[in-house]
Amino acid sequence: MVIIKVIIVLIFKSKKQAEKMENLNLISEEQWDELVLKVSKHFKVTADFDFMLFIIGIQERGTGFRPYPRNEKNDLINLGKCNLFELLGYIKRSGNDDEGWPKFDVIKNVSTITPGMQKQLLKKAMHQYFSQVLN
């Protein structure tokens, strides 16, 4: 927990911003490693951050595990991110487009958060997501 606090303080310039982000209860490296191992065993692959986003995208799109062209893989990874940011309250699903892909409305602006902190938030949401789905 001390390491996370130090990282938060380094990422944010003001102490007020750091204190605000501290309340997010980010997951530890040990929890992340356990999750990666659990997902790796479940899917019989060596999972990483992008693979886990891809799996979430497939699950939420409902298309099943099959070969995908590169552009569709990227779309599924982005869909995985959107679903996780929805869990965190940053966006909300507003329906589907003509091709059946979900559309989202912005609730809180994600672009104001540094990429490193976005990744930490996504890891936290992945932990929540897979804890529900894989149990």
Side-chain angles (χ1 to χ4, degrees):
M1 188 68 170
V2 172
I3 294 172
I4 292 173
K5 287 182 182 180
V6 170
I7 291 171
I8 290 171
V9 171
L10 291 174
I11 291 172
F12 293 96
K13 294 178 182 174
S14 76
K15 187 175 179 180
K16 186 176 180 181
Q17 283 180 314
E19 288 169 356
K20 183 179 176 184
M21 295 309 285
E22 228 176 84
N23 296 327
L24 295 175
N25 297 321
L26 302 175
I27 66 169
S28 69
E29 277 302 311
E30 293 83 21
Q31 290 172 307
W32 174 250
D33 291 342
E34 288 173 13
L35 176 62
V36 171
L37 183 60
K38 186 176 184 178
V39 171
S40 295
K41 285 181 179 180
H42 182 81
F43 290 101
K44 298 180 176 114
V45 298
T46 303
D48 64 7
F49 184 78
D50 285 339
F51 174 80
M52 293 164 71
L53 289 172
F54 177 63
I55 291 299
I56 293 168
I58 289 172
Q59 178 69 26
E60 296 303 315
R61 180 87 166 111
T63 55
F65 201 73
R66 61 174 174 78
Y68 292 95
R70 180 181 288 282
N71 64 333
E72 196 170 354
K73 283 181 184 177
N74 289 332
D75 290 342
L76 289 165
I77 288 170
N78 286 328
L79 177 58
K81 286 180 187 178
C82 288
N83 278 281
L84 295 176
F85 279 125
E86 183 178 29
L87 281 175
L88 295 168
Y90 284 87
I91 58 177
K92 183 177 180 181
R93 191 178 303 238
S94 62
N96 293 330
D97 67 12
D98 295 338
E99 296 177 4
W101 286 87
K103 296 189 303 186
F104 297 88
D105 292 329
V106 175
I107 296 173
K108 299 182 216 171
N109 192 350
V110 176
S111 65
T112 61
I113 303 170
T114 65
M117 185 52 66
Q118 285 182 28
K119 189 169 184 175
Q120 291 302 316
L121 290 170
L122 290 170
K123 284 181 176 183
K124 173 187 173 183
M126 275 186 207
H127 191 269
Q128 293 171 345
Y129 183 91
F130 284 113
S131 293
Q132 294 171 357
V133 173
L134 294 182
N135 283 334

